[in-house]
Amino acid sequence: MKRYGRKAGDIRIVDQNNDGKIDANDRVVLGTPFPEWTGSLMNHIGWKGFDLSVMVIARCGQTMDNAFRRDQNVLAGRYNNVNVNYWMPNNPSNTDPRPNLDQERPENNSAMGFEDGSFVRIRSISVSYNVRGARLGSFFRANSLRIYATAQDPFLFTRFRGLDPESATNAGTPSYSTLMMGVTVGL
């Protein structure tokens, strides 16, 4: 490390060609933002007037640039910051470099943001109950009545530490969960 002018806890870049200096010749492809495979699964089950449908999507084998974590992780040691596992003498972490009061961003901080962006997301869950020939009061008769609840994006399973592995830059607004409830009347 000293050979490259680094201290303990600094971001380490590999000298790929072993020429004793870190330069453009040491660049490597870390991955691709395009997943190796994508998939989805939709399931619908009906029983005695009840309906349940679930949609699951997955993207696996892509490398994401965690722009939020890289850009919001100042590491100067004097600001509120992203909660990360900093390197310290009593915590020799290999996940995040040491804070340094003398620098806003550590050298080579652009290398910090690349992570596996694979995920499985429950896109929607919908539960409903259908009533045929429902009577709503003494004057109103419906052909059907459906009472439902739908949750959109309720669960995300990933090791990605950014806001949302499905967003284009994952530095903006993450997906949010929505719960909708309603009644559909068939006249």
Side-chain angles (χ1 to χ4, degrees), residues 71-145:
D71 296 342
Q72 301 305 316
N73 197 8
V74 179
L75 295 167
R78 61 180 179 258
Y79 305 113
N80 286 335
N81 208 355
V82 177
N83 185 10
V84 295
N85 187 19
Y86 293 117
W87 184 96
M88 298 294 282
N90 60 349
N91 179 37
S93 164
N94 284 327
T95 59
D96 294 279
R98 64 183 167 81
N100 184 346
L101 190 60
D102 297 327
Q103 65 184 12
E104 291 295 315
R105 302 219 189 285
E107 188 176 353
N108 299 313
N109 80 316
S110 62
M112 289 177 31
F114 295 99
E115 299 179 29
D116 178 11
S118 300
F119 69 91
V120 174
R121 173 172 263 149
I122 308 296
R123 177 64 75 204
S124 67
I125 301 172
S126 185
V127 178
S128 65
Y129 181 70
N130 298 297
V131 181
R132 300 274 177 220
R135 193 175 276 280
L136 303 173
S138 57
F139 297 106
F140 184 75
R141 181 170 172 84
N143 291 331
S144 65
L145 176 70

Side-chain angles (χ1 to χ4, degrees), residues 173-187:
T173 305
S175 296
Y176 50 89
S177 299
T178 304
L179 177 62
M180 298 179 292
M181 300 174 78
V183 176
T184 304
V185 178
L187 300 176

Side-chain angles (χ1 to χ4, degrees), residues 34-99:
F34 305 107
E36 290 177 15
W37 66 271
T38 62
S40 65
L41 175 68
M42 177 76 173
N43 197 358
H44 180 88
I45 300 170
W47 179 73
K48 293 187 178 184
F50 287 97
D51 288 317
L52 171 67
S53 63
V54 178
M55 182 175 187
V56 179
I57 65 167
R59 290 187 195 157
C60 294
Q62 72 221 28
T63 300
M64 300 291 296
D65 181 6
N66 186 343
F68 177 79
R69 190 161 183 273
R70 181 194 64 230
D71 296 342
Q72 301 305 316
N73 197 8
V74 179
L75 295 167
R78 61 180 179 258
Y79 305 113
N80 286 335
N81 208 355
V82 177
N83 185 10
V84 295
N85 187 19
Y86 293 117
W87 184 96
M88 298 294 282
N90 60 349
N91 179 37
S93 164
N94 284 327
T95 59
D96 294 279
R98 64 183 167 81

